[in-house]
Amino acid sequence: MSKGSEMDSEERKTNRSEQKSRKILKSLIRKQPCDLLLVIGTGVSAAVAPEIPALCSWRSCIEAVIEAAEQLEVLHPGDVAEFRKKVIKDRDLLVVAHDLIRKMSPRTGDSKPNFFQDCLMEVFDNLEQHIQNPVVLQSILRLMERGTMVLTTNYDNLLEIFGQQHGKPMESLDLKDKDKVLQWARGHIKYGVLHIHGLYTDPCGMVLDPSGYKDVTQDPEVMEVLQNLYLTKSFLFVGCGETLRDQIFQALFLYTVKNKVDLEHYMLVLKENEDHFFKLQADMLLHGIKVVSYGDCFESFPEYVQDLTAQICKQRSPDADRVDSTTVLGTSCVDCAKRKLGENDMDLSKRVKQSDNVDTSAGDLNIVKKFETQVQGNCTGPPEGEAENWALTIPEFQ
């Protein structure tokens, strides 16, 4: 075989490999946008603003905060050295982050005032000027327009900034505001982004540790609505690494959810090592999560998300022309509502008004109430005193 033929053969093999990695599960692309709930991790921020190291990973964020604390002189030099050692040695970086936050907060455990917020503001200064690759954010907004809900473990508000720049009424939410959380969970805040760790611009909503959200995890109404989302939506984890090992996420969504293997959630991950990847796939299926590779290099991530979004948005509901996405059922389309309620023989389109505003009439509220009570589960969160000790066994992964 000639040298030229060998090169052509290698190129064809490479192309076949790339095409193979671009395949997307039919069960995922056939989801209606309103069936999905995006869980956004640091990978999204890293792809959008690569010049900010703190957005690349939890480790990078903690290192940047320690550096800022040293420069601002809000952390004792001995503590700075100790935390730098912990970042290198400790496996559970979320625990390190919680310890660091507590160290820069009042001894009473309150979230305000604290120096941690000042460090984050230093780290995330002028975020809007650092948006370089908006492809992933454009894809997320496209899904939100069609009814997809969004929550994030990130402290930054890149998505909200980008959305506002494009005329969307974005709203940042945290778990301290019960009324807003309930509205969001019921689909009434179309462009709301729930920050389960809080937002760097609001010290009152910053998370210190799971006990800081005791009011949330022990509130039956909030926990039922949030955990019903895990039962009735397909969660799509995008740019996430440690999210399933995050005690806050576990307490909110996983603690009392039974028969997780019967659920169908998805997680996009980087496939650096085949053995590790396929073991992760097998492990996550036990938790009802299908692990999908977007490629073997991070540079493939934005394009994969863009292609995935395009294919999902091609799926059109038969009732799409007859009902607006912001009805009393929130971001749920009529087809979604029928499936969740199990009332396929009911013509819901007659009961839902075409309006951009939420109608809170008695009849409509009854529909919402029926929707909430018929989904499986009656979750009230961890037993009192056990929120900090409870943890789901999840393998560590990127």
Side-chain angles (χ1 to χ4, degrees), residues 93-321:
L93 294 176
L94 294 175
V95 172
V96 177
H98 292 151
D99 291 344
L100 182 60
I101 295 171
R102 281 196 294 264
K103 195 69 178 180
M104 290 190 283
S105 303
R107 294 176 182 175
T108 57
D110 295 327
S111 59
K112 184 179 181 180
N114 71 70
F115 287 121
F116 184 71
Q117 183 212 10
D118 292 285
C119 294
L120 284 178
M121 293 179 73
E122 187 73 19
V123 169
F124 297 144
D125 189 34
N126 298 321
L127 273 181
E128 65 279 359
Q129 298 178 14
H130 296 278
I131 297 178
Q132 294 184 13
N133 306 316
V135 171
V136 178
L137 297 183
Q138 290 169 345
S139 299
I140 294 172
L141 283 181
R142 187 177 178 188
L143 289 170
M144 293 182 79
E145 288 173 354
R146 291 161 175 78
T148 299
M149 301 174 70
V150 176
L151 71 82
T152 180
T153 57
N154 297 343
Y155 288 120
D156 67 80
N157 58 346
L158 279 170
L159 176 58
E160 292 94 311
I161 291 172
F162 184 77
Q164 289 167 356
Q165 289 175 346
H166 289 76
K168 306 299 182 185
M170 308 299 292
E171 188 169 354
S172 300
L173 313 170
D174 64 59
L175 291 172
K176 297 292 185 180
D177 191 334
K178 175 181 175 178
D179 291 339
K180 286 287 187 181
V181 170
L182 290 176
Q183 289 180 46
W184 173 83
R186 290 165 177 163
H188 297 167
I189 304 179
K190 183 176 181 179
Y191 290 100
V193 180
L194 180 63
H195 292 256
I196 64 171
H197 285 167
L199 190 64
Y200 81 95
T201 56
D202 180 14
C204 294
M206 297 287 288
V207 59
L208 300 185
D209 52 54
S211 65
Y213 283 151
K214 186 177 180 180
D215 291 342
V216 175
T217 56
Q218 294 187 3
D219 187 312
E221 183 180 15
V222 174
M223 291 302 294
E224 180 178 8
V225 171
L226 288 177
Q227 294 185 1
N228 279 343
L229 287 174
Y230 202 72
L231 292 168
T232 59
K233 298 280 186 182
S234 283
F235 278 43
L236 175 57
F237 298 86
V238 182
C240 297
E242 298 288 332
T243 301
L244 287 183
R245 300 178 69 245
D246 184 320
Q247 293 182 27
I248 301 300
F249 185 87
Q250 290 177 349
L252 292 176
F253 297 103
L254 306 181
Y255 180 71
T256 57
V257 175
K258 307 298 182 185
N259 301 319
K260 288 185 281 290
V261 71
D262 296 330
L263 304 178
E264 191 172 53
H265 303 299
Y266 300 86
M267 176 175 287
L268 307 185
V269 303
L270 174 68
K271 185 177 70 175
E272 291 182 300
N273 179 283
E274 286 196 342
D275 291 340
H276 178 80
F277 171 76
F278 288 110
K279 182 180 185 304
L280 177 63
Q281 266 192 341
D283 290 340
M284 289 296 98
L285 278 178
L286 297 174
H287 301 285
I289 298 172
K290 294 180 177 179
V291 173
V292 181
S293 166
Y294 60 76
D296 57 7
C297 64
F298 185 65
E299 287 71 25
S300 303
F301 176 65
E303 184 182 352
Y304 186 94
V305 173
Q306 185 180 43
D307 291 347
L308 172 61
T309 299
Q311 293 195 47
I312 290 174
C313 291
K314 283 180 182 178
Q315 308 301 316
R316 188 165 182 80
S317 166
D319 294 297
D321 295 327

Side-chain angles (χ1 to χ4, degrees), residues 375-393:
V375 289
Q376 181 184 357
N378 183 24
C379 307
T380 58
E384 185 172 2
E386 296 183 13
E388 291 186 58
N389 297 327
W390 181 84
L392 180 69
T393 303

